[in-house]
Amino acid sequence: MEQRVVLDYLIDTIKTDPQAKTQIHATETVEAAHLEHIRTNVEFESELGLDHWIEKLHPTPAVCGLPKDQAYNFIVKNELHSRKQYTGVVGITNAQNAKLFVQLRCAEFDSKTKDFWIYTGGGIMHDSDINSEWQEAENKANVMLNVLSELASQRI
């Protein structure tokens, strides 16, 4: 359900450009960093620039909620911590194309203190169980911690 909400948001937002040519691929399960993820590739062509689309599409409901402006204002007003690097848009671009992904979790490293911060979250829906969402966020953090530990052990 969480993935469908985000997909619908992306499609509806892209449709605000009536000239955009859109192709939505089949939803699939992919493995990344020891986790399975649901992914639907959305391709579109538009005369509007990349900056326009990043501003329109980010943040997605996966990290902000809906309705977007109301949810964003609530988060800014009520969260007691900074999300810093928790979310963003990452990808590869050139003059003609951009391949972008919603970044949903990350790690931040302080080279002075040698401290890591891991940012994860959960998709809270109307029927979510808060305890299982918290466990999911911890599981995501543990996957990232394991990946970072593997990388650290390989460092010479």
Side-chain angles (χ1 to χ4, degrees), residues 1 19 21 25 29 73 81 85 88 109 120 129 138 145:
M1 181 66 171
Q19 305 303 314
K21 298 175 188 163
H25 296 269
T29 301
N73 289 332
H81 63 280
Q85 309 301 324
F109 177 68
T120 67
D129 173 64
E138 284 188 346
L145 185 58

Side-chain angles (χ1 to χ4, degrees), residues 72-84:
Y72 180 81
N73 289 332
F74 178 86
I75 290 167
V76 169
K77 182 178 175 183
N78 291 285
E79 277 194 355
L80 302 177
H81 63 280
S82 170
R83 291 183 173 205
K84 290 187 178 183

Side-chain angles (χ1 to χ4, degrees), residues 3 7 23-30 38-42:
Q3 196 266 355
L7 179 60
Q23 181 178 8
I24 298 135
H25 296 269
T27 299
E28 59 186 344
T29 301
V30 296
I38 300 170
R39 176 179 72 193
T40 307
N41 289 333
V42 177

Side-chain angles (χ1 to χ4, degrees), residues 122-146:
I124 307 296
M125 304 291 288
H126 64 80
D127 58 351
S128 292
D129 173 64
I130 295 300
N131 291 324
S132 64
E133 292 294 339
W134 183 262
Q135 186 61 54
E136 181 181 337
E138 284 188 346
N139 291 343
K140 291 173 186 175
N142 284 330
V143 168
M144 292 185 65
L145 185 58
N146 291 338

